[in-house]
Structures are given as C-alpha cells and as structure tokens.
Amino acid sequence: MKIRGFLYNEATAQHQLGALSSNELVLDTLSIGTKNNLALLQAQSITWASHKSIRHYFAATELDDVDPTCYKTLNKSTVDKIVATCKNASPTFAKGGMHYQYQKFTKGTKKSPGWICAQQRFAIALEKLGVFYRRELNLENFQLPDFMLLQDDDSYYNMVRIHDFLSERDPSVPLAEAVCLISSELQNFSFPWGGYGFILSQAAVHNLIRPVYCNATTNDKFEQHVCLQLDEDLLGERQYFEDGMSVSDLMGAQVRHNLFSQYTGDGNWMYCLHGDWVVGYYVNYYSISSHTKDPAFDGVPHARIEGTLGYVKRKDKGNCVYGRVETCTEEAHVCHRQTAKSMANRTREVAANVPGAFRNFS
C-alpha cells in the first residue's frame, strides 16, 4: 500500500467495499503521522481501521504541510528562538502552551524541528478534510460520517468498544469527545490528548466545515457565535478570516500566515500552541460542539469537550492510563504509543470474538 497525499486512496477504496445498511454506524478517521514512519499509518489502516464501520481512512504527513520541508529547513537555533518568544511573551491564550510542551517532549532529542513543525499539521489536515467533505457533499448520496475519529499514527482503537460507545450517542447532536481529556488551569481550558483519540459527531463536523458569513444579518445562532468569537480574537485569528470561510478554513489560514519555517523573530508571532491546544481552542471557543455535561464546567461557556472515557488533571484517570504497549489491555477504548505489531496483535484478539467485524481478519 502507498499513502498518497492527504487521502489514503487504496485503503479508502478497500473500505468502501460492501455497502453498510442504513442502521449501521458510518465512521471516518483521520491520522496525523510522518512520512518517516509510514509503517504506523499502514498498520492502522489494515488493523483496527479495517473495521466494517469505517468508510474512509485519511492520513496526513509532511507531504500535506504548507511547507513540506519545514523539518529540514527549521534548525535547532530557530526552534529555540520560537520557544523563547512564546515563553517570554505575555501570558495570553496565544502564548500558553508551546514552550511547556516543547521542553517536556523534546528535551535531549534531535527531533525537535520535525516535532515543532508537526504541531501545525492537524490544523492543515482539518482544513483539507473540510474541503474534501464540502466537495463530496455536492455529489448525490454522499453524507458526512456519523462520527469522525481523529488521532495520532501510534493510536490503537478497540473498535468493538468504540463502536458500542458511539452507538449510544446521537450523531445529530454536536458532540466533541476526548478519549483522554486534559484540564488546564489556564482560563479553565480543557483539550484532548491527541494520541488517545478525539471524536466529533456528524453535527460537530458540519459546524467545523460549514461556510460562515459575518458581513450579513443572520438568525443562525452558530454563525452569530462564530462572528462574535472572531471579534474576541484571542489567537489573533480575526485578520485571517474572510466571509465564506469555515472554522476549519480559518485554522488552516492561521497556519499559512505563521509558518514555523518562516519565523522572523518579530513581535507579531501568533502561533505558540501545541497541536492539541489548537484543536481544543477552536472546538471550545467556536462552539463546534454542545456544552459539556460535566458540572465542574457549568460556569465556563467555552467548555465544550466531553471527557467521559478519560480525564487528566493531577493524575491520569480512566482511559488515560493506556499509554504504553504493555498497559494496552482489552479494557481500553484507545491506546497511545503503540507499535505496528501491537496494533495487529490487539486487533486480532478483538476480531476473534466478533467474526466478520473486520475486513482484514476472518
């Protein structure tokens, strides 16, 4: 198999074999990976993503970045300057997370330029996903998936557990579900730990990709909220918005105007965010989903991500404990930091109990 650009074409064609009945869930999935380790993306597509409910398997790598050579052209010295800029700036939302995440995850490694370039990949991938869906929606009989699964390339889904979990939820209700939700004391902000997976319902995907017009009077509450949030301009994103853009388009536009590889050191730098924070910001503040049912966030209007399966504040709880190969058990809904071999082994074990549920496992 080959991964070509944004759409994993051969896997997609394979996953469309056999029409699903109208009462079965239709899921799409998007993985963020790297061309330097395509084995993980390929492993996902032929193991857990071969579940009969998955219609499309999308993958994004450096080849989908605005600057595909960022990891080569961005040197360690520039990375350190970006981190210093973010760390020393005023503690606004836009300056909140990159320096901490960078220092925590890249200390002592030689992969920091590639890691920091990848923080913009999720936004660009979601922009491309929106373009793909809007184009397909113009075709007869195409519908958005009931749920969209978003994750890293080393994520493993127990599709039987995930399928059962989603079967109890209404895709017509805007829902954002983090399999492992991280709560930050910064502005009462919660965001998904991307490696454990993030789920959007059909209604939430629709909100993410729908065009928004702020130069005309509208009674559409979602559109009104987006336009008001643009005026708040917490990330400096207002300058990149044009009428007719979707929220996913705006995410991509912000990246295009703030490429790490084009960092100049001036005071206007406005991209100091880990990729998980970017997703969390837009989903929460732009009302992509309904308000969380967690009573702890009753007074926080921008709390819109559920953490039903797992939650992190001062210690890991629920699904957040499944972060290594050796801790990935049958009780997990999603496991992080998995290998191609562990994905195959886990999927084989699950498939043995549900004959016919996976296309690649008899």
Side-chain angles (χ1 to χ4, degrees):
M1 284 188 175
K2 296 180 180 179
I3 296 176
R4 300 171 181 169
F6 176 65
L7 179 61
Y8 199 157
N9 288 311
E10 294 184 29
T12 296
Q14 175 188 11
H15 292 178
Q16 288 177 319
L17 292 175
L20 294 172
S21 63
S22 58
N23 62 344
E24 289 184 316
L25 283 180
V26 176
L27 309 178
D28 287 349
T29 184
L30 166 62
S31 281
I32 305 301
T34 171
K35 68 182 185 66
N36 297 318
N37 193 358
L38 295 180
L40 285 175
L41 294 172
Q42 183 179 16
Q44 286 183 332
S45 74
I46 63 176
T47 58
W48 60 262
S50 73
H51 190 270
K52 64 180 182 180
S53 64
I54 294 184
R55 175 183 61 175
H56 289 303
Y57 176 91
F58 300 99
T61 69
E62 290 86 349
L63 298 176
D64 298 288
D65 292 348
V66 179
D67 180 3
T69 64
C70 174
Y71 73 102
K72 291 182 179 179
T73 58
L74 188 67
N75 56 42
K76 183 66 164 56
S77 175
T78 304
V79 169
D80 290 339
K81 291 177 182 177
I82 292 173
V83 172
T85 297
C86 296
K87 185 176 181 179
N88 296 328
S90 59
T92 63
F93 192 99
K95 311 295 183 182
M98 180 62 77
H99 70 273
Y100 166 75
Q101 295 288 357
Y102 166 77
Q103 291 176 337
K104 181 178 180 181
F105 290 113
T106 66
K107 184 177 180 180
T109 75
K110 297 180 180 180
K111 299 179 180 180
S112 53
W115 181 89
I116 206 168
C117 292
Q119 300 315 306
Q120 297 183 329
R121 191 165 302 146
F122 222 140
I124 290 298
L126 287 174
E127 178 192 36
K128 290 188 174 185
L129 183 69
V131 172
F132 171 83
Y133 279 151
R134 288 195 298 271
R135 184 182 68 238
E136 294 299 302
L137 283 170
N138 290 325
L139 303 178
E140 187 178 0
N141 296 327
F142 181 85
Q143 293 183 347
L144 293 174
D146 293 319
F147 295 94
M148 183 76 200
L149 312 180
L150 313 169
Q151 65 282 321
D152 291 347
D153 59 356
D154 61 352
S155 306
Y156 158 77
Y157 282 80
N158 181 326
M159 286 305 301
V160 172
R161 286 189 175 275
I162 287 293
H163 189 276
D164 290 347
F165 177 78
L166 294 178
S167 295
E168 298 175 351
R169 281 148 182 82
D170 184 352
S172 69
V173 175
L175 169 71
E177 183 78 46
V179 179
C180 179
L181 183 68
I182 299 178
S183 178
S184 168
E185 295 180 356
L186 176 66
Q187 298 189 6
N188 290 316
F189 178 62
S190 296
F191 58 96
W193 188 334
Y196 283 100
F198 188 47
I199 302 169
L200 294 175
S201 68
Q202 182 181 91
V205 173
H206 174 69
N207 285 341
L208 184 68
I209 71 169
R210 60 183 288 197
V212 173
Y213 297 90
C214 293
N215 289 334
T217 303
T218 177
N219 293 321
D220 187 300
K221 291 185 178 180
F222 173 77
E223 199 165 53
Q224 290 175 343
H225 185 93
V226 169
C227 297
L228 288 172
Q229 187 59 46
L230 282 167
D231 291 337
E232 292 290 328
D233 202 25
L234 295 180
L235 288 186
E237 68 270 26
R238 181 67 179 88
Q239 61 188 305
Y240 310 123
F241 178 77
E242 297 178 5
D243 254 19
M245 273 187 172
S246 65
V247 174
S248 59
D249 291 334
L250 179 60
M251 294 173 70
Q254 188 179 21
V255 167
R256 295 175 192 282
H257 287 85
N258 293 278
L259 295 177
F260 290 124
S261 58
Q262 296 178 5
Y263 174 77
T264 60
D266 62 35
N268 296 320
W269 185 254
M270 291 298 293
Y271 212 99
C272 293
L273 293 166
H274 185 280
D276 293 348
W277 283 56
V278 176
V279 175
Y281 171 73
Y282 280 102
V283 170
N284 279 314
Y285 282 84
Y286 280 83
S287 298
I288 299 302
S289 60
S290 302
H291 193 274
T292 177
K293 297 177 182 177
D294 187 342
F297 292 96
D298 282 348
V300 184
H302 55 265
R304 295 179 175 272
I305 301 178
E306 301 289 356
T308 308
L309 294 173
Y311 191 90
V312 171
K313 190 166 187 181
R314 290 184 174 85
K315 66 177 182 178
D316 297 356
K317 296 181 179 179
N319 201 91
C320 302
V321 303
Y322 304 112
R324 301 190 306 275
V325 170
E326 57 270 25
T327 62
C328 184
T329 65
E330 61 182 13
E331 288 78 22
H333 283 74
V334 180
C335 299
H336 185 24
R337 303 187 188 96
Q338 299 301 295
T339 65
K341 182 178 179 180
S342 67
M343 290 183 208
N345 289 340
R346 281 294 168 205
T347 305
R348 189 174 295 108
E349 292 171 1
V350 172
N353 296 318
V354 282
F358 293 84
R359 298 181 178 91
N360 292 339
F361 294 82
S362 60

